[in-house]
Amino acid sequence: MGLIIGSFLHEISKTKLKLPVMPSLLVIGILFGAFWEDLGIIGSSANVVSGLTPRLIPLVFIPILALEASFSADFYVFRRALYQIMVLAIPGVIIQFLFYGIILKLILQFSDDDLEWKSALCLGALMSCTKPESIIKVLKEIGAPNYLTLIMSTEALFTFTSSLICFFTLLSSAKDDAYTVGDGVEEALIRIFGGFAVGLGLALILSWWH
């Protein structure tokens, strides 16, 4: 059902209506959540999805987004714009989730009973995983250089990865009071180089198999 709705909205966005896909999906999701009891089996399915554990959500959705970004990535652009991409994907994500955590705790003033600092930063890391589809669409509409568009799509791949690493590291910190900065650095490095090793190994196996 989700694929059908997403495909339908994507086709509508190509017509004269130019209905934005992402905000439309957000509104439909809110409506599904509010009226799921009146939607029969579809509503029951939506209610089951809402019960996914926090650890399962990024494992299910973020790899799909990263896979899509890897298909649109360009190695030539990546090599030329490595510095800009790394600045956006690593310090940019860190600044972003810190900013989200500050908003949640200091501006929205969530108490420690509702949301501790570690949990706020964990939520901020999850929200830092943004999909640049709307930005890329705007860049194309205003006639921006293709090089800039390719940088955005390639950078998205590393943003997804760094957001996922930050999320799981902060989640471990939030669940264990004895968790230290050294433990966080160690876990992050294991995820970075372990993921790289697994990906490289699978790539070599598939290349040999082909």
Side-chain angles (χ1 to χ4, degrees), residues 88-100 121 128 162 166:
L88 290 172
I90 301 176
V93 169
I94 293 174
I95 292 171
Q96 193 170 357
F97 79 70
L98 289 174
F99 181 71
Y100 281 134
L121 293 175
S128 298
S162 57
C166 290

Side-chain angles (χ1 to χ4, degrees), residues 6-200:
S7 301
F8 178 72
L9 291 174
H10 190 268
E11 291 301 320
I12 290 180
S13 66
K14 298 179 182 179
T15 64
K16 293 182 179 180
L17 293 176
K18 293 184 177 180
L19 192 67
V21 178
M22 297 303 170
S24 301
L25 287 174
L26 176 62
V27 172
I28 292 174
I30 293 173
L31 292 175
F32 266 70
F35 302 103
W36 69 271
E37 294 180 349
D38 302 323
L39 297 176
I41 189 172
I42 297 175
S44 299
S45 301
N47 187 51
V48 170
V49 172
S50 67
L52 292 177
T53 63
R55 193 174 276 270
L56 186 60
I57 292 174
L59 286 175
V60 171
F61 295 107
I62 294 182
I64 297 173
L65 298 176
L67 178 64
E68 183 202 4
S70 66
F71 278 121
S72 60
D74 188 284
F75 180 75
Y76 174 76
V77 174
F78 168 71
R79 187 176 59 183
R80 288 283 304 274
L82 177 62
Y83 174 75
Q84 296 95 318
I85 290 172
M86 290 296 102
V87 168
L88 290 172
I90 301 176
V93 169
I94 293 174
I95 292 171
Q96 193 170 357
F97 79 70
L98 289 174
F99 181 71
Y100 281 134
I102 291 171
I103 289 177
L104 290 169
K105 292 296 294 182
L106 301 183
I107 297 178
L108 298 180
Q109 296 183 347
F110 279 93
S111 65
D112 290 340
D113 293 333
D114 296 325
L115 192 68
E116 296 181 349
W117 267 105
K118 291 181 179 180
S119 300
L121 293 175
C122 186
L123 179 59
L126 189 59
M127 292 190 295
S128 298
C129 182
T130 55
K131 195 171 186 299
E133 181 180 281
S134 301
I135 299 174
I136 293 174
K137 185 176 180 180
V138 171
L139 291 175
K140 290 181 179 179
E141 289 177 352
I142 64 177
N146 290 332
Y147 180 74
L148 183 59
T149 303
L150 288 172
I151 286 178
M152 292 300 301
S153 59
T154 307
E155 178 268 336
L157 174 62
F158 291 87
T159 300
F160 294 144
T161 305
S162 57
S163 298
L164 191 61
I165 292 171
C166 290
F167 171 77
F168 281 118
T169 303
L170 290 167
L171 183 63
S172 299
S173 175
K175 294 171 65 176
D176 186 3
D177 293 334
Y179 199 83
T180 63
V181 175
D183 294 332
V185 173
E186 180 182 358
E187 182 175 349
L189 290 176
I190 290 173
R191 293 185 185 279
I192 292 170
F193 292 105
F196 177 78
V198 171
L200 181 61

